[in-house]
Amino acid sequence: MPNYQNQRIFTITELKDETPEVLLVRLRAQDGAKYTFDPGMFIMISGLEQQTGKTYIARAFSIASEPELSEVELFVVKVHEGHTSHFIESRIGDTFLIGNPNGQFKFLPDKDSKVLFVAGGTGLAPFMSMLRHMKRINADNDAILLYSIKYPTEIIKKEELESLAQQLKLRTYITVTRPQPGDGWAGETGHIDADKIRKLAPDLSERGVYICGPLPFVKAIKDALTSLGVPQERVKADVWG
């Protein structure tokens, strides 16, 4: 067996079209042991050629599943900047290598009693990990989630988010940036800006802020927070893409 230097072999157990643009991928550790990390962290995942043991395609993904499971769940953009994800061609049973978790973007419930989570697209992934963790430990944190998507059909984990809002001190606001006539959307529309943050999180000065999404999205949210007088030390951000 090759020496994979602190990497573990995981096998795909589920591939699901979560939305038209997002693929849900779930992988289980072959050794059955738990995968320990702080909610919000990311992994580097590499393909594993089963015949030769050769590795390829090292990519970073935020973990959507809660800590201390033998599985990890990922939200994968099917086509990004013209490139199709390798996972589109994967099958149940394919194997990958996952190393130790990484990143300073992590949420410790005992550190922030009130939080604002701001997610863009698949940037929802680390917040799903955080919210699932909060549910498991019966956390009492007061959380607001602002979640930006292009179309109503792109809501990831819609039913679970609704359920979590009933089980936690969580208020979720989804905003659609490209509403279309007849799409049936009656919620928030437009990009998340200073006015929307002020309206939906009026007690912003009391909250730690966590942001995850593509770089332009994260930059825009940071600029909005600065205009609202939020100190940089109260803001944590993670970028994908």
Side-chain angles (χ1 to χ4, degrees):
M1 173 69 69
N3 180 7
Y4 293 123
Q5 299 180 343
N6 298 321
Q7 294 177 307
R8 293 166 59 190
I9 300 175
F10 281 69
T11 302
I12 291 181
T13 59
E14 182 177 1
L15 293 164
K16 175 185 176 184
D17 289 322
E18 179 65 19
T19 76
E21 294 187 4
V22 176
L23 181 71
L24 182 149
V25 181
R26 184 172 286 114
L27 306 98
R28 179 183 292 274
Q30 280 195 354
D31 59 13
K34 294 179 180 179
Y35 191 71
T36 301
F37 60 95
D38 291 319
M41 299 180 79
F42 71 92
I43 55 174
M44 295 300 297
I45 181 167
S46 303
L48 179 61
E49 193 173 274
Q50 297 191 45
Q51 298 298 323
T52 65
K54 179 182 177 181
T55 63
Y56 57 95
I57 311 179
R59 288 283 310 277
F61 289 93
S62 293
I63 309 169
S65 46
E66 68 177 88
E68 304 298 335
L69 300 178
S70 60
E71 290 187 337
V72 295
E73 184 179 89
L74 313 174
F75 302 152
V76 178
V77 178
K78 297 176 185 177
V79 180
H80 178 56
E81 297 182 348
H83 299 286
T84 301
S85 170
H86 176 77
F87 282 113
I88 294 294
E89 300 176 352
S90 296
R91 299 179 179 180
I92 303 298
D94 284 356
T95 53
F96 290 79
L97 289 177
I98 296 178
N100 294 327
N102 294 278
Q104 298 302 310
F105 186 75
K106 51 189 176 182
F107 172 62
L108 304 177
D110 60 341
K111 299 297 183 182
D112 281 313
S113 60
K114 299 181 74 173
V115 291
L116 171 63
F117 297 151
V118 188
T122 54
L124 179 69
F127 299 121
M128 287 304 303
S129 180
M130 296 173 187
L131 293 170
R132 288 164 164 170
H133 179 62
M134 289 165 61
K135 174 186 174 183
R136 183 175 66 84
I137 67 173
N138 296 315
D140 196 40
N141 302 74
D142 181 328
I144 295 174
L145 170 64
L146 306 186
Y147 177 24
S148 176
I149 52 172
K150 291 184 290 187
Y151 309 107
T153 54
E154 287 304 314
I155 302 174
I156 300 171
K157 290 292 179 180
K158 182 176 185 291
E159 292 183 0
E160 185 174 357
L161 284 173
E162 292 172 349
S163 177
L164 287 167
Q166 299 297 318
Q167 299 172 68
L168 300 170
K169 287 185 178 179
L170 169 66
R171 284 168 283 163
T172 298
Y173 301 100
I174 300 173
T175 184
V176 172
T177 62
R178 300 182 189 178
Q180 304 294 317
D183 66 10
W185 182 251
E188 292 282 335
T189 58
H191 294 279
I192 299 173
D193 56 14
D195 289 339
K196 198 178 291 291
I197 294 172
R198 185 187 298 112
K199 180 181 75 170
L200 300 178
D203 57 351
L204 178 63
S205 63
E206 303 172 17
R207 298 180 180 273
V209 184
Y210 296 73
I211 314 165
C212 186
L215 180 58
F217 175 86
V218 170
K219 184 181 184 304
I221 300 302
K222 282 187 170 182
D223 290 345
L225 292 170
T226 297
S227 74
L228 292 170
V230 178
Q232 291 186 2
E233 59 267 23
R234 291 211 353 257
V235 179
K236 295 182 179 180
D238 193 23
V239 176
W240 66 262

